[in-house]
Amino acid sequence: MSNTVSESATLEYNGKKIVLPVVTGTEGEQAIDISSLRKSTGLVTLDPGFVNTASCYSKITYIDGENGVLRYRGYPIEELVEHGIFIDTAYLLVNGELPNDSQHREFSRLLNECSLIHEDMRHFFDSFPRGSHPMHILSTMINAMAAFYPDVDLKSLDEDINQSCARVISIVRTLAAFAYKRSIGEPIVYPRHDLSYCANFLNMMFDSPVRPYQIRPEAVRLLNVLFIIHADHEQNCSTSAVRTIGSAQVNLYATISAGISALSGPLHGGANQSVIEMLKMIHEDGDVNKFLKMAKEKDNPFRLMGFGHRVYKTYDPRAAIAKRECENYLKLIKYQDPLLDIAHRVEEAALTDSYFVDRHLYPNVDFYTGILYRAMGIPENMLTVMFAIARLPGWVAHWREMIGSSTKLVRPRQVYTGQECRHLEEDYRKVK
Ligand code: CMC
């Protein structure tokens, strides 16, 4: 189950041959190990956006982007969705194996115990301007946790690390719900010990003293599914941020806060909000082809949001699950959303258009999930927050894997293209 050095690649430079090992992962992916390159040649490699760079070994998630395969710890995403319990997926990601009954109970107990935020942190919510984006509030609040809770470091006992990991996975949902309640001017709702992870979140979001929330099992099931499909995605932008920041041995909360900030961008997790904004625009305008045309124009910054992916060159398996859930759930709750019809029309038009076909641009996870969240009553500015709550186990798993291995400080090189050495005195003379 470990990587093996199977072959080698030879690089010829300046009349010298340098032999570099080729490592092979468990699914047969191969990588040229260049870790000795600079020492032996003085050369560095240049790879903007790390399009061709594996930044680490990892045992957590496997993606085959050509065939639309996604597995957490070896289990296909479709099977985990079928099992349907987000906290079991979280446990699996963080610990490497699914929990047995007693581990499940213990993990639930721990999440429950850690779900309250420090009372003094509540006042922080009052200091954000009304209308602040909840992603900004969330990353700030997670960062602030370092001041309230004892941090773990590389030498901490496993128990303490477990506790800190559970705390951050649990509290993120309390903070998210509190931020929402604050944004709509309603009193906050505390977590309840008798509710499951997802039911608790829905209750904190939607319960109110004048309108008690009825927890619907179909909504809880759906939230579990949505959280599972978002739970990890190997070395994406936010996870790479977590690993990068974490490699400097900063505290866990600052590390996760960096992940949340990275996720908020519209090219990453922020795309789910942008998709809904785009579908609304198309709905108002009525002309799907006009937007497709705009997305294809070279000098137009408009992109078809929820389409395309760095790794998937076929249908994103998460998008396939979200699309199926979307059709079923909306039917089940008898909710008609005109945006679903628009989404279907956009998808159909794009998948028969040579621009999108030639570039292998398919719907990604964000294309249908916003419609599902809307059907659950989640407001638009909370969509990326939902992604963040779900991604917590993934970030924590990568952070744990990183601190448990001999990771070096992440510190890329560059190819400098600025001014050559020049001198102040001469230049001052010239401008005077
Ligand atoms: N609409 C129109 N054209 C696109 C799109 C799109 N959504 N995505 C890529 N392209 C074009 C791009 O213009 C380029 O064309 P050309 O070869 O003519 O220059 C080609 O396809 C390759 O694109 P790229 O930007 O080099 O590809 P990338 O791997 O760097 O970008 C991406 C991946 C996700 C940033 C990009 O597809 C995109 O911006 N999509 C829209 C935003 C989005 O939905 N993001 C969510 C990603 S999934 C959730 C997550 O994991 O974060």
Side-chain angles (χ1 to χ4, degrees):
M1 287 283 284
S2 65
N3 52 291
T4 53
V5 178
S6 46
E7 291 170 53
S8 61
T10 308
L11 174 76
E12 215 172 319
Y13 174 71
N14 257 351
K16 209 173 135 194
K17 282 190 178 168
I18 300 108
V19 178
L20 297 163
V22 172
V23 295
T24 306
T26 43
E27 293 288 344
E29 312 147 287
Q30 294 193 300
I32 302 174
D33 179 351
I34 57 150
S35 49
S36 64
L37 186 70
R38 191 167 177 279
K39 220 176 194 172
S40 55
T41 64
L43 290 171
V44 294
T45 54
L46 179 63
D47 185 20
F50 302 135
V51 177
N52 306 284
T53 298
S55 59
C56 59
Y57 291 111
S58 181
K59 291 185 165 67
I60 302 170
T61 288
Y62 171 69
I63 303 175
D64 173 351
E66 311 303 321
N67 295 304
V69 172
L70 170 62
R71 297 184 202 131
Y72 300 157
R73 301 284 189 184
Y75 296 110
I77 190 68
E78 294 79 7
E79 290 178 24
L80 290 163
V81 160
E82 193 64 36
H83 177 66
I85 302 173
F86 171 65
I87 66 160
D88 283 356
T89 294
Y91 187 97
L92 170 74
L93 286 166
V94 176
N95 297 292
E97 295 296 337
L98 284 165
N100 59 29
D101 284 349
S102 77
Q103 287 163 333
H104 172 92
R105 276 196 303 276
E106 174 55 19
F107 190 47
S108 304
R109 187 197 62 76
L110 203 53
L111 291 173
N112 206 356
E113 208 170 77
C114 296
S115 61
L116 280 174
I117 64 168
H118 195 290
E119 273 297 293
D120 291 348
M121 282 184 79
R122 263 188 44 193
H123 306 297
F124 289 10
F125 287 100
D126 299 332
S127 311
F128 291 100
R130 291 253 168 213
S132 302
H133 196 286
M135 278 299 269
H136 301 149
I137 300 179
L138 192 64
S139 63
T140 309
M141 295 299 279
I142 292 280
N143 209 354
M145 281 173 71
F148 287 87
Y149 299 98
D151 190 32
V152 285
D153 65 28
L154 308 189
K155 293 176 281 309
S156 298
L157 297 172
D158 269 358
E159 259 172 73
D160 297 332
I161 295 184
N162 281 343
Q163 170 105 9
S164 291
C165 292
R167 172 168 290 122
V168 74
I169 290 172
S170 186
I171 277 190
V172 69
R173 126 204 97 138
T174 312
L175 292 173
F178 282 16
Y180 170 63
K181 283 294 193 191
R182 149 101 189 129
S183 75
I184 57 168
E186 281 191 9
I188 56 170
V189 176
Y190 282 96
R192 271 172 42 186
H193 73 94
D194 58 326
L195 294 179
S196 68
Y197 186 94
C198 289
N200 228 328
F201 174 71
L202 289 171
N203 192 60
M204 285 191 279
M205 283 286 289
F206 298 122
D207 192 40
S208 114
V210 292
R211 197 185 58 254
Y213 179 64
Q214 292 292 324
I215 299 170
R216 298 162 75 159
E218 62 274 19
V220 175
R221 188 200 75 84
L222 177 62
L223 195 57
N224 272 283
V225 168
L226 285 167
F227 281 180
I228 290 169
I229 63 174
H230 286 94
D232 191 43
H233 215 232
E234 49 119 307
Q235 311 309 321
N236 56 83
C237 178
S238 54
T239 302
S240 298
V242 164
R243 280 188 178 259
T244 301
I245 308 281
S247 79
Q249 300 183 3
V250 299
N251 69 72
L252 171 64
Y253 307 112
T255 304
I256 299 296
S257 168
I260 294 173
S261 299
L263 188 76
S264 67
L267 294 190
H268 192 11
N272 58 10
Q273 184 177 336
S274 307
V275 167
I276 294 297
E277 288 160 3
M278 177 189 77
L279 293 176
K280 277 178 156 177
M281 271 194 316
I282 302 177
H283 178 53
E284 268 165 37
D285 185 274
D287 188 352
V288 169
N289 289 327
K290 183 169 121 191
F291 287 85
L292 241 62
K293 189 166 166 281
M294 276 161 53
K296 295 190 282 183
E297 286 164 359
K298 259 264 165 279
D299 46 5
N300 192 333
F302 178 80
R303 282 193 165 197
L304 208 54
M305 299 311 286
F307 259 74
H309 197 274
R310 173 65 60 80
V311 183
Y312 293 120
K313 298 303 160 203
T314 184
Y315 214 102
D316 180 337
R318 304 167 301 170
I321 293 167
K323 183 179 179 184
R324 184 195 67 208
E325 291 293 332
C326 216
E327 285 154 4
N328 294 343
Y329 186 72
L330 266 60
K331 221 178 268 166
L332 183 73
I333 64 164
K334 299 187 176 58
Y335 176 78
Q336 283 204 329
D337 188 342
L339 298 192
L340 180 58
D341 177 51
I342 298 289
H344 283 147
R345 285 169 54 203
V346 169
E347 177 180 338
E348 205 182 306
L351 296 188
T352 50
D353 184 310
S354 61
Y355 174 95
F356 294 91
V357 174
D358 295 350
R359 287 170 179 75
H360 308 288
L361 303 172
Y362 292 85
N364 60 48
V365 68
D366 294 316
F367 196 62
Y368 285 102
T369 48
I371 299 176
L372 276 167
Y373 283 131
R374 263 162 68 91
M376 294 169 89
I378 306 285
E380 255 163 66
N381 67 354
M382 284 290 288
L383 296 182
T384 314
V385 170
M386 302 302 286
F387 196 153
I389 300 171
R391 185 51 61 86
L392 244 292
W395 289 329
V396 166
H398 283 271
W399 175 80
R400 270 195 100 148
E401 185 174 71
M402 187 205 58
I403 63 163
S405 63
S406 52
T407 309
K408 287 177 84 71
L409 172 72
V410 175
R411 201 306 184 187
R413 296 275 176 165
Q414 63 171 13
V415 177
Y416 175 70
T417 56
Q419 297 279 357
E420 286 178 352
C421 181
R422 51 186 175 161
H423 297 286
L424 270 177
E425 212 176 301
E426 285 167 27
D427 285 353
Y428 268 132
R429 226 179 294 130
K430 270 189 234 157
V431 293
K432 272 184 185 159

